[in-house]
Amino acid sequence: SLFEFSRLARRGIHGRVTDFRGTGLEGARISVESVDKDVKVRHMMGWYWRPLVMGNYNITASKDGYYNLTRRNIVISEEEPYVNVDFTLISKTQFPVNK
């Protein structure tokens, strides 16, 4: 039914991808381990939304020029169907890693 579809459509994760100053990172990618399709952040303030079914997920935010950040064990459940997951990415040029 349409009601069931709208209920399921509100499951997943949402949040912002920013740099350490709080600037939105439009163009960043949200990847979910074991899910083939990435979501691209299209909002200038860094907001994103990613529908997901119930389960336990490892979620990575990435953008060229920044270090990737993975949040592990994010649980989507009946009790918590819509989870906020924010990411703060660190610039590789501002904080280079010595090799």
Side-chain angles (χ1 to χ4, degrees):
S1 76
L2 185 58
F3 174 76
E4 181 68 7
F5 174 76
S6 86
R7 186 178 68 81
L8 292 175
R10 285 180 298 207
R11 283 205 178 139
I13 58 171
H14 64 99
R16 286 184 72 204
V17 181
T18 61
D19 66 11
F20 75 99
R21 289 187 188 99
T23 304
L25 293 178
E26 186 176 6
R29 292 201 172 280
I30 302 296
S31 306
V32 180
E33 191 175 291
S34 75
V35 176
D36 289 339
K37 182 103 170 119
D38 292 349
V39 170
K40 189 172 183 180
V41 175
R42 300 192 183 280
H43 191 275
M44 63 187 274
M45 296 297 294
W47 292 106
Y48 75 91
W49 173 66
R50 175 68 170 95
L52 292 168
V53 297
M54 287 190 298
N56 187 319
Y57 297 96
N58 295 329
I59 301 158
T60 301
S62 60
K63 183 171 172 66
D64 287 344
Y66 292 82
Y67 297 104
N68 295 352
L69 178 60
T70 300
R71 301 272 189 228
R72 300 193 182 283
N73 299 314
I74 303 299
V75 177
I76 308 299
S77 65
E78 282 290 334
E79 296 77 29
E80 207 170 353
Y82 201 48
V83 179
N84 185 78
V85 184
D86 292 328
F87 295 90
T88 302
L89 300 186
I90 304 299
S91 168
K92 290 180 179 178
T93 57
Q94 290 178 311
F95 298 97
V97 174
N98 296 329
K99 294 187 178 194

